[in-house]
Amino acid sequence: VQLQASGGGLVQAGGSLRLPCAVSGLSLDDYAIGWFRQAPGKKREGVSCMRESDSTTYYADFVKGRFAISRDNAKNTVYLQMDLLKPEDTAVYYCAVDLAWGAEPFCRLPGYGSDHWGKGTLVTVSS
């Protein structure tokens, strides 16, 4: 199983980025998939998670209305569209999958128990 997150970079406040997470070795139909982030000196937090099997999606309050998670089944890739970025969104962003959890608990835990994580991609938002 491999997850590959990419798309990070430097962007000005108010700008946008789209992060893809390409997944191989498993079918996303059976898993919750989520985006998590960790800023320097801070704990990891769940950003957005989804689970196709029960059509559930979760967004953390701090990204509601600004970020959107989506999936391309043909490419087995999940995206995080990030708009109206703020300096406090600066962090390393990771994607992960889990077989057992639903979307909301997976994000709230955050990501506890998941064995499959991608390498992070750094997002830096300048003011």
Side-chain angles (χ1 to χ4, degrees):
V1 177
Q2 287 191 330
L3 290 80
Q4 181 64 53
S6 60
L10 174 64
V11 63
Q12 288 188 329
S16 298
L17 283 174
R18 189 176 77 153
L19 307 183
C21 174
V23 182
S24 60
L26 57 82
S27 171
L28 286 176
D29 289 345
D30 301 322
Y31 286 75
I33 183 160
W35 285 97
F36 303 84
R37 71 185 188 185
Q38 189 164 17
K42 295 189 177 181
K43 293 182 180 179
R44 183 173 69 204
E45 53 189 3
V47 176
S48 181
C49 298
M50 68 184 301
R51 189 171 184 113
E52 187 80 5
S53 60
D54 57 11
S55 300
T56 53
T57 304
Y58 170 84
Y59 292 97
D61 286 344
F62 52 80
V63 301
K64 281 182 181 177
R66 300 189 298 122
F67 291 12
I69 191 170
S70 64
R71 177 181 157 183
D72 184 330
N73 294 336
K75 296 181 179 179
N76 219 35
T77 298
V78 176
Y79 299 93
L80 184 68
Q81 177 66 42
M82 306 188 296
D83 298 322
L84 300 175
L85 282 161
K86 304 176 181 180
E88 52 263 44
D89 294 319
T90 295
V92 178
Y93 284 72
Y94 302 86
C95 55
V97 296
D98 191 85
L99 186 61
W101 294 113
E104 182 170 348
F106 189 39
C107 257
R108 286 185 175 272
L109 282 172
Y112 176 79
S114 174
D115 293 328
H116 303 300
W117 289 84
K119 290 183 180 179
T121 185
L122 176 62
V123 173
T124 304
V125 184
S126 63
S127 57

